[in-house]
Amino acid sequence: MSQLHRTRRRGSLTALLVALPALLVFAVFSWWPILRGLVMSVQKTNFVGPAEWVGWSNFAYVLGDPLLGAAVLNTLLFALLAILFGFPLPLALAVVISTVSARRRGLYAGLAYLPVIVPPVVAILLWKFAYDPGATGLFNAMLSGLGIGPLPWLNSASLAMPSIVLQATWAGAGTSVLIYLAALTAVRPELYEAAMLDGAGIWRRVWTVTLPQIRGIVLVMLLLQLIGAAQVFTEPFLMTGGGPQNATTTVLLLMYRYAFGGSADYGAATALGVLLAIVLALLSFLYLRLTRRWGS
């Protein structure tokens, strides 16, 4: 064995030993819960008595639940509204902020990120207070000057989900704005100069220069938002509890009810979690395959 080969092997072993604690922590807190969840999905357990192996019964129970269809449709509705309204907004804000002077850019970026700093529970409860359906509610009082309302907001089956999407968009847009701002710094200034010489306005430059240059980031952010929207829980749980008439019951909220709704059916909850993970994995795989050429 050559000296160079022994040196490289020794360096690899050293790197592995240095990374071993982080790998162990990752395995214990990431992979072990996943494996434990797979096992629990074929068990009936309440964490008190011995677990009972029930095979695919948990999956049959979940798939036969009449509320599952409504939860899936509500989750899809949330994801659709979040993409239509919550996805282009951060990109537009980032483009606008990138056009101001460097001194003001940091201020505006900080203001855009401010909602992310607010603790999620606090922000949700504040918005719930603002959604008061009475005429003196904050939003209804603001709309009364326009001759609109009062609106029932969270008490309406048709308005509850859009209201939740509005709050979620406000709370999460700041992170996306900073990511897009970082991506925009990589766009070569001479491309904008050439577009300006051709008489292109700001939004024409966005369409012909900005988006093609950062399309890889945009596609990844879209996938992450889809995955996040499919796992929405905190907003409907705190704002509506899944109501009214189960109009905001999502897949994760249904999972929570299985585990903590009185029956303590942790097997059904983990089975639903496994099904959701499989669906999201397949969706991510298909999405990456379809967008591989566009992102290059």
Side-chain angles (χ1 to χ4, degrees):
M1 183 181 299
S2 64
Q3 180 65 29
L4 179 60
H5 185 72
R6 285 195 297 267
T7 302
R8 288 180 176 176
R9 184 176 181 182
R10 190 181 302 111
S12 300
L13 291 175
T14 302
L16 179 60
L17 291 175
V18 172
L20 186 60
L23 293 175
L24 291 176
V25 171
F26 183 80
V28 170
F29 291 100
S30 182
W31 287 106
W32 171 245
I34 294 175
L35 295 176
R36 186 72 181 94
L38 291 173
V39 173
M40 285 180 57
S41 66
V42 293
Q43 290 180 332
K44 186 175 183 60
T45 178
N46 57 7
F47 293 124
V48 178
E52 176 187 354
W53 293 91
V54 295
W56 300 106
S57 298
N58 289 328
F59 293 93
Y61 171 76
V62 169
L63 294 175
D65 188 349
L67 193 56
L68 177 62
V72 171
L73 290 178
N74 291 335
T75 304
L76 291 176
L77 176 61
F78 178 89
L80 177 62
L81 293 176
I83 294 300
L84 288 178
F85 300 106
F87 183 72
L89 178 61
L91 180 57
L93 285 175
V95 171
V96 172
I97 293 174
S98 67
T99 60
V100 302
S101 62
R103 179 179 301 178
R104 295 182 178 180
R105 193 177 305 160
L107 174 62
Y108 293 151
L111 291 176
Y113 191 73
L114 186 60
V116 182
I117 302 176
V118 181
V121 174
V122 175
I124 291 171
L125 294 179
L126 288 175
W127 275 74
K128 186 177 181 179
F129 171 79
Y131 279 136
D132 188 317
T136 57
L138 179 59
F139 289 154
N140 281 334
M142 295 170 61
L143 292 175
S144 64
L146 302 176
I148 302 175
L151 299 178
W153 299 112
L154 300 177
N155 294 340
S156 168
S158 59
L159 292 178
M161 188 62 80
S163 301
I164 292 176
V165 171
L166 180 61
Q167 188 279 330
T169 300
W170 171 86
T175 301
S176 299
V177 168
L178 293 187
I179 294 174
Y180 287 134
L181 279 174
L184 289 173
T185 59
V187 180
R188 292 178 296 172
E190 56 266 25
L191 296 177
Y192 289 119
E193 295 172 0
M196 291 176 64
L197 292 175
D198 290 338
I202 179 173
W203 295 114
R204 182 66 177 175
R205 296 197 300 270
V206 169
W207 185 257
T208 59
V209 177
T210 304
L211 290 179
Q213 291 296 312
I214 65 170
R215 61 181 180 272
I217 299 296
V218 172
L219 291 174
V220 171
M221 292 297 294
L222 178 58
L223 176 60
L224 293 178
Q225 185 159 352
L226 283 171
I227 294 174
Q231 301 179 73
V232 61
F233 169 77
T234 309
E235 290 82 0
F237 176 71
L238 291 177
M239 281 189 166
T240 62
Q245 304 172 7
N246 288 317
T248 58
T249 298
T250 60
V251 173
L252 255 66
L253 190 54
L254 181 61
M255 191 187 311
Y256 174 86
R257 290 179 180 177
Y258 285 154
F260 306 104
S263 59
D265 196 344
Y266 298 106
T270 53
L272 181 55
V274 170
L275 291 175
L276 178 61
I278 293 174
V279 171
L280 291 179
L282 292 175
L283 175 65
S284 301
F285 174 77
L286 293 175
Y287 180 88
L288 293 174
R289 286 293 301 269
L290 293 174
T291 59
R292 178 183 301 174
R293 185 174 301 177
W294 300 343
S296 60

